[in-house]
Amino acid sequence: MKPDVTIINDIAKLAGEQILNYYDDDIEVDHKSDDSPLTKADLASHREIVSGLSEHYPEIPVLSEESEIPDYSVRKDWDEYFLIDPLDGTKEFIKKNGEFTVNIAFIENNIPVLGVVYIPAEEVLYFATKEKGAFKQKGDGPIKQIEHDEYNKNEPARIMVSRSHRGSDTNEKLAEMGIEVSEEIPSGSSLKICFVAEGKADLYPRFGPTMEWDTAAADAVYRYSGKNGPVSSPLKYNKEDLHNPEFIIGLA
């Protein structure tokens, strides 16, 4: 049974509630082996998502940032699986600036065909499916389809930049590609890709390290927000090495 995006949306919202249970408290921060931050909220969201997915789709494997990663000899045979980041933007969560998200993607043959990105602090939901396109909803308000125009390389670009992982040479690298930057828009987590998807920015260049779970859900929102149908993305999933290469979202 293929996942129902409405069910996945509800699971993401429940995970967001788990995260907000810790938001007003003094946040205790541990660190993982790669020195990235980890909080109780990350783990509570992870448990909520895995529980929900296991209840509705017990036959579909789940790969989470907060779980043990199966060996590639096992993963390579997965035709479909869920890829989740229970709390993307943990640094933004710790700073309490609201720019953190719950990310759930359904991957089919190494491509995200469904993606849900939820912003708990703002009750904003982005979601997309390959069949129906990309959408945005605030609280219980109306669901609105989102679309973006293809970026014209001859025009100056509005680019998304990371609030916590700013690269100093981004503009220089873009200039070498013939792209002039007209505006830099800072944001945290996977919101940067969603902003490109809804046309608030033209490009999201990322020349620093990211993982597959950081991008998959928002990548689906981007892929299926093209005005003339699905657009291409430079990202692929379920690689032996789960690091993403350098990429630019929004560049055809």
Side-chain angles (χ1 to χ4, degrees):
M1 181 172 63
K2 297 299 182 185
D4 181 335
V5 73
T6 304
I7 292 174
I8 308 303
N9 287 345
D10 288 342
I11 292 172
K13 290 178 180 179
L14 289 171
E17 290 177 10
Q18 291 289 338
I19 291 170
L20 293 181
N21 285 338
Y22 298 92
Y23 195 43
D24 293 329
D25 300 335
D26 291 333
I27 298 171
E28 298 178 19
V29 182
D30 293 322
H31 286 84
K32 293 184 266 190
S33 59
D34 63 356
D35 206 37
S36 59
L38 177 68
T39 71
K40 291 179 180 178
D42 293 82
L43 299 176
S45 177
H46 165 81
R47 288 191 293 268
E48 184 70 47
I49 296 169
V50 171
S51 174
L53 294 178
S54 299
E55 176 184 350
H56 291 282
Y57 308 105
E59 74 285 359
I60 301 178
V62 177
L63 179 59
S64 169
E65 178 181 11
E66 307 308 342
S67 62
E68 185 174 345
I69 307 302
D71 190 83
Y72 185 63
S73 61
V74 175
R75 289 191 288 112
K76 67 181 176 61
D77 295 322
W78 289 356
D79 294 326
E80 57 183 31
Y81 68 102
F82 289 109
L83 179 57
I84 67 175
D85 189 341
L87 202 175
D88 184 37
T90 302
K91 290 183 178 179
E92 315 309 328
F93 174 76
I94 294 166
K95 295 174 186 175
K96 299 181 186 260
N97 67 14
E99 294 177 350
F100 52 90
T101 58
V102 175
N103 296 308
I104 306 175
F106 177 62
I107 311 294
E108 197 170 59
N109 298 319
N110 304 329
I111 299 295
V113 295
L114 178 156
V116 174
V117 177
Y118 183 57
I119 314 168
E122 299 179 7
E123 295 187 354
V124 170
L125 180 74
Y126 293 90
F127 63 96
T129 66
K130 183 178 180 180
E131 295 78 20
K132 295 186 177 180
F135 302 86
K136 181 180 181 181
Q137 183 181 29
K138 167 94 172 157
D140 295 324
I143 296 173
K144 299 179 180 179
Q145 186 157 14
I146 60 173
E147 296 177 326
H148 71 275
D149 288 312
E150 186 175 326
Y151 168 65
N152 180 351
K153 192 175 176 181
N154 295 321
E155 298 289 334
R158 301 164 298 159
I159 69 168
M160 297 304 304
V161 296
S162 177
R163 199 177 292 281
S164 295
H165 305 274
R166 182 66 185 278
S168 60
D169 59 348
T170 297
N171 289 21
E172 289 82 351
K173 288 187 176 182
L174 291 175
E176 291 172 2
M177 300 170 65
I179 298 172
E180 177 187 348
V181 174
S182 63
E183 182 183 2
E184 296 181 3
I185 305 169
S187 184
S189 70
S190 57
L191 291 175
K192 295 183 287 294
I193 299 176
C194 292
F195 281 13
V196 175
E198 63 180 320
K200 290 184 176 179
D202 300 306
L203 302 174
Y204 169 39
R206 184 58 184 256
F207 302 126
T210 58
M211 302 297 293
E212 290 186 7
W213 48 70
D214 293 322
T215 58
D219 187 19
V221 175
Y222 167 72
R223 286 173 189 253
Y224 308 121
S225 63
K227 280 195 173 177
N228 300 309
V231 296
S232 62
S233 166
L235 298 171
K236 293 285 191 295
Y237 296 87
N238 203 23
K239 305 184 300 296
E240 183 169 5
D241 181 350
L242 294 173
H243 287 84
N244 289 320
E246 295 183 345
F247 62 83
I248 301 177
I249 292 290
L251 195 62

